Amino acid sequence: MKLFLTIQREVVKKPLISQVILETGVMINVERAHIDSNEGWVLIDIPENERERIIERFSELGVEVKQLENAVIHDDHECVECGACISICPQEVFFFDPGYHLQIEEDRCILCGRCVPSCPHQALSIRQ
Amino acid sequence: MQKSIEEINTRIRDGSAVVITAEEMPDIVSELGEEGALQKVDVVTTGTFGAMCSSGAFLNFGHSDPPIRMERVWLNDVEAYAGIAAVDAYIGATQESTTESLRYGGAHVIEDLVSGRQIEVRAISKGTDCYPRRTITTELLLDDLNQAVMVNPRNAYQRYNAAINRSERVLETYMGTLLPQSGNISYSGAGLLSPLLNDPNLSLIGSGVPIFLGGGTGVIVGEGTQSSPKTGFANLMVSGNLKNMSPDYLRAASFTGYGVSLYVGLGVALPVLNLDVVRNCAVRDEDIMVGIIDYGTPRRDRPVLRQVSYAELKSGSVLIDSEEIRTSSISSFSHARQVALELKKEVEEGRFTVALPTVSIDREKVNRPMRETRQTPRVQEIMNPHVVTITEDESVKTAARKLLKGETNHLPVIDADQKLVGIITTYDVSKSVLRDGNSLKVSEIMSKKVVVVAPDEPVDVAAQRLDQHNISALPVIDANYHVIGILNAVDLGKLISKKGWHS
């Protein structure tokens, strides 16, 4: 499962992720990150059963943790189910069911945003 | 056995006609045989729903008081072609808004009209004795127009090539986003549901045949512009009343980096008259082949990587050089299916009868490229052949001397075999002085990734390449990677002023 960490200025220079990995022994996969001198955000993937522990520890360290849900916003009305989003998504979030209707597995999204400009009908956006 | 069109229309009118979609036909033929299918099936409906850039509509606004001869017209800031008559205009789907650029265009105006939304009409004129008014601004609904006649010059392509990109950068095209280094394949078309693939010999599809167009009933005008039936790339010019259409089947689109287009739902009901029709309508995705074309080559004749069937394209991936490349469509199969089903329903309920062409389309026609009497200039015509080069083991100091003496800002770097291995600029040399200065070698400061151009490439391609990479010169190399010249942005500028491209 994916967690979105917002790292505030006060703690941005600390090795937070390494610390949590060492302390908890949980394998954390960093999927995307953006950090500058002021603040930053990191998208991590962790085993589902470690959810509570990881959220608790990061929160104690001053990191705001949100579970990533409904990352892809799909406008049903605008979408014509052409499928232009399918092959350009590196995470294979989009696919057709046997009836050629577009299905979205949002859990796979890493917020890269590549699908947004690739949709000819402006039916996709990413929750930031 | 043969069936007549009258026989089929009688059955449609009394509600006994057997209508199926082109998707169901292959299995029916397998099951009943060709004769059996001919006996059982009366009509096969087809459908397609994709980006059809070449679309638009003639609009008649009626006369204002005092009247105006609308010389230039804007609809929601999208210019329509008004060189027709006093109060008529043709709004083209790909025309972009003067204020919103590609976020809004002619296709959006059409979708707005069909959706019942009000549009702003603005026009200007010099004023004449009979039409004294010089400007007008008004808001109109589709119902306010006397006529709104969709006339699409080129729709419903029989088939269309699939696109791949072997270059190093992302391409934004009318085929959607093409990832670099063959990252994906994009295709467009309804495959076995495509109207023209079910009548490849154009025996049923031609002028005067009624069709499903944009949710209403339209008609085939004749061959579309650039139609090429002989090579399997036929298309149709179609027309219909915008007032009967629906936004479910006409959808505006904006392709990032390309522009505006209109998705059009179009379907043809094919009367099953004889065994030829049965055979043609039994086409399967496995039988429909298209080329995979490299859009990374910005020329008319692009390399074809391989032929591929629609079945393979629809499977989600295609093998190229034993690598699986993911595919996706830019047209909508679910909506194409909806078109075929809607048309099937209309025929079954007796609201849509079939007809044969009044004038046939020439099936031998082949599309020709443009005859160019003035060839676009090539790189070799304007490149500087007296290019100064340097070898990679020479010192930066030597490079600085050469740069000064040669009065150039770019030095291509060559190896012992005279092959291009890098490039250094005045900027690289200046920067290096601040580091270790004199002791450095050319190989330590050069850029190894050199953007190059071939002597026979058109200068437009070279200009675009300079622009894309944000650089000011391109080494010109031959087939052996030997530097034979250099092309400067300045040379390109001179060419434009000298040859007067636009005059």
Side-chain angles (χ1 to χ4, degrees):
Chain A
M1 69 173 305
K2 291 187 171 55
L3 296 177
F4 190 83
L5 314 179
T6 308
I7 300 168
Q8 308 298 338
R9 186 183 187 150
E10 302 81 60
V11 290
V12 77
K13 293 211 166 100
K14 294 183 181 163
L16 299 160
I17 294 172
S18 317
Q19 191 180 339
V20 174
I21 293 172
L22 287 172
E23 283 176 11
T24 59
V26 174
M27 306 271 267
I28 292 179
N29 196 15
V30 177
E31 298 207 312
R32 267 170 67 86
H34 173 83
I35 292 176
D36 58 31
S37 54
N38 274 328
E39 53 187 8
W41 58 263
V42 182
L43 182 67
I44 60 169
D45 193 47
I46 53 159
E48 195 130 14
N49 55 359
E50 301 287 4
R51 182 179 177 275
E52 299 305 325
R53 260 201 326 143
I54 295 293
I55 292 180
E56 197 187 329
R57 193 62 198 114
F58 271 119
S59 303
E60 283 165 7
L61 291 168
V63 174
E64 189 190 310
V65 186
K66 266 194 224 145
Q67 192 174 326
L68 195 64
E69 276 174 322
N70 310 319
V72 185
I73 305 168
H74 175 236
D75 185 335
D76 258 342
H77 177 72
E78 287 298 331
C79 179
V80 301
E81 304 187 299
C82 64
C85 47
I86 294 177
S87 71
I88 54 94
C89 172
Q91 296 300 106
E92 306 192 15
V93 168
F94 309 95
F95 57 94
F96 278 141
D97 67 13
Y100 290 92
H101 295 298
L102 189 70
Q103 303 296 317
I104 302 176
E105 207 164 307
E106 292 176 69
D107 296 351
R108 294 182 179 180
C109 178
I110 55 162
L111 308 176
C112 78
R114 191 186 268 171
C115 57
V116 177
S118 295
C119 171
H121 294 270
Q122 288 71 52
L124 294 170
S125 46
I126 295 289
R127 203 180 292 276
Q128 286 289 13
Chain B
M1 186 200 167
Q2 294 262 348
K3 283 193 269 190
S4 72
I5 202 99
E6 292 76 22
E7 229 176 303
I8 291 172
N9 276 334
T10 305
R11 271 183 224 151
I12 291 175
R13 283 191 201 98
D14 68 24
S16 66
V18 175
V19 189
I20 60 155
T21 71
E23 214 180 340
E24 301 168 276
M25 193 61 168
D27 288 345
I28 290 179
V29 175
S30 299
E31 192 191 328
L32 305 177
E34 288 174 351
E35 277 289 345
L38 174 59
Q39 275 181 23
K40 178 171 175 184
V41 180
D42 296 311
V43 178
V44 173
T45 63
T46 59
T48 184
F49 189 96
M52 306 195 197
C53 287
S54 174
S55 298
F58 285 97
L59 309 175
N60 178 278
F61 304 103
H63 283 290
S64 60
D65 182 31
I68 180 171
R69 193 178 76 132
M70 300 164 103
E71 285 169 2
R72 293 187 73 186
V73 179
W74 291 263
L75 311 172
N76 283 354
D77 284 352
V78 181
E79 186 160 17
Y81 179 73
I84 304 172
V87 286
D88 293 295
Y90 181 79
I91 178 78
T94 60
Q95 184 74 38
E96 289 173 16
S97 157
T98 49
T99 51
E100 301 267 310
S101 80
L102 57 73
R103 284 193 301 274
Y104 191 93
H108 298 84
V109 173
I110 292 170
E111 188 185 317
D112 278 347
L113 281 169
V114 169
S115 303
R117 285 190 278 268
Q118 196 164 259
I119 57 160
E120 185 201 68
V121 179
R122 208 154 43 81
I124 55 170
S125 170
K126 291 189 293 291
T128 68
D129 287 345
C130 43
Y131 295 110
R133 193 159 178 171
R134 296 186 179 194
T135 63
I136 192 165
T137 303
T138 183
E139 269 95 35
L140 295 177
L141 290 165
L142 182 57
D143 278 347
D144 297 324
L145 302 173
N146 289 312
Q147 282 82 22
V149 185
M150 175 166 267
V151 179
N152 299 346
R154 174 160 81 241
N155 275 188
Y157 256 100
Q158 182 171 4
R159 71 185 89 208
Y160 209 85
N161 288 320
I164 197 167
N165 167 22
R166 289 196 293 179
S167 81
E168 296 296 318
R169 59 183 199 93
V170 175
L171 297 180
E172 301 289 1
T173 73
Y174 60 82
M175 293 295 283
T177 305
L178 300 175
L179 302 175
Q181 297 172 321
S182 303
N184 66 335
I185 292 172
S186 174
Y187 65 100
S188 182
L192 84 173
L193 268 177
S194 158
L196 283 162
L197 283 173
N198 283 272
D199 183 31
N201 301 324
L202 298 165
S203 62
L204 305 172
I205 292 179
S207 302
V209 169
I211 56 170
F212 176 102
L213 183 63
T217 303
V219 67
I220 295 170
V221 176
E223 69 172 22
T225 54
Q226 235 168 270
S227 180
S228 193
K230 178 99 175 177
T231 58
F233 290 85
N235 67 63
L236 302 171
M237 186 179 289
V238 298
S239 175
N241 185 355
L242 215 56
K243 293 192 178 196
N244 298 333
M245 297 187 192
S246 141
D248 291 343
Y249 297 100
L250 280 183
R251 300 291 290 276
S254 301
F255 287 86
T256 304
Y258 170 71
V260 176
S261 188
L262 183 66
Y263 276 60
V264 179
L266 190 158
V268 185
L270 302 169
V272 184
L273 301 173
N274 52 45
L275 287 176
D276 278 342
V277 177
V278 171
R279 257 169 239 140
N280 291 330
C281 289
V283 68
R284 290 176 189 270
D285 282 335
E286 287 81 351
D287 312 323
I288 304 166
M289 303 299 289
V290 292
I292 300 175
I293 310 289
D294 179 14
Y295 276 57
T297 303
R299 302 295 293 272
R300 185 186 62 220
D301 297 317
R302 300 181 164 115
V304 183
L305 266 64
R306 57 163 281 206
Q307 295 290 315
V308 65
S309 77
Y310 255 83
E312 203 175 344
L313 286 169
K314 278 188 183 170
S315 77
S317 65
V318 163
L319 273 184
I320 290 188
D321 300 332
S322 70
E323 194 192 345
E324 265 200 15
I325 308 209
R326 293 171 68 213
T327 60
S328 60
S329 167
I330 198 82
S331 63
S332 172
F333 192 74
S334 69
H335 282 46
R337 189 181 260 169
Q338 204 178 312
V339 168
L341 287 169
E342 180 66 27
L343 184 52
K344 171 179 167 168
K345 200 172 103 192
E346 292 198 14
V347 179
E348 280 174 340
E349 291 172 2
R351 282 180 278 128
F352 193 107
T353 52
V354 288
L356 286 172
T358 49
V359 179
S360 292
I361 294 172
D362 177 8
R363 52 188 265 201
E364 294 300 315
K365 187 124 182 208
V366 175
N367 184 45
R368 282 197 312 257
M370 183 189 282
R371 183 171 81 101
E372 292 182 69
T373 55
R374 299 180 199 188
Q375 214 192 18
T376 167
R378 305 283 142 169
V379 166
Q380 61 204 359
E381 294 170 41
I382 59 160
M383 72 181 192
N384 180 1
H386 307 293
V387 56
V388 183
T389 58
I390 193 160
T391 54
E392 48 190 332
D393 49 12
E394 286 184 83
S395 71
V396 170
K397 204 167 181 179
T398 312
R401 214 171 283 132
K402 282 194 171 186
L403 281 166
L404 281 175
K405 204 169 140 203
E407 286 175 359
T408 168
N409 289 318
H410 301 80
L411 274 185
V413 184
I414 53 174
D415 65 9
D417 299 327
Q418 307 275 309
K419 286 190 179 176
L420 180 74
V421 289
I423 191 164
I424 56 170
T425 64
T426 323
Y427 176 72
D428 296 325
V429 172
S430 317
K431 208 170 53 176
S432 73
V433 170
L434 294 180
R435 275 170 61 199
D436 304 318
N438 300 345
S439 62
L440 283 174
K441 273 186 183 176
V442 165
S443 60
E444 292 171 80
I445 67 158
M446 70 183 190
S447 311
K448 286 184 185 155
K449 260 196 159 179
V450 195
V451 184
V452 296
V453 71
D456 60 344
E457 287 192 89
V459 293
D460 308 63
V461 172
Q464 209 193 8
R465 199 167 295 158
L466 285 169
D467 202 37
Q468 277 156 2
H469 295 275
N470 193 23
I471 50 177
S472 52
L474 294 167
V476 184
I477 53 150
D478 66 11
N480 299 315
Y481 236 73
H482 291 164
V483 183
I484 57 167
I486 191 151
L487 184 73
N488 269 289
V490 181
D491 299 330
L492 274 167
K494 278 187 212 145
L495 175 86
I496 292 165
S497 55
K498 196 168 65 191
K499 290 208 177 174
W501 262 348
H502 303 290
S503 61

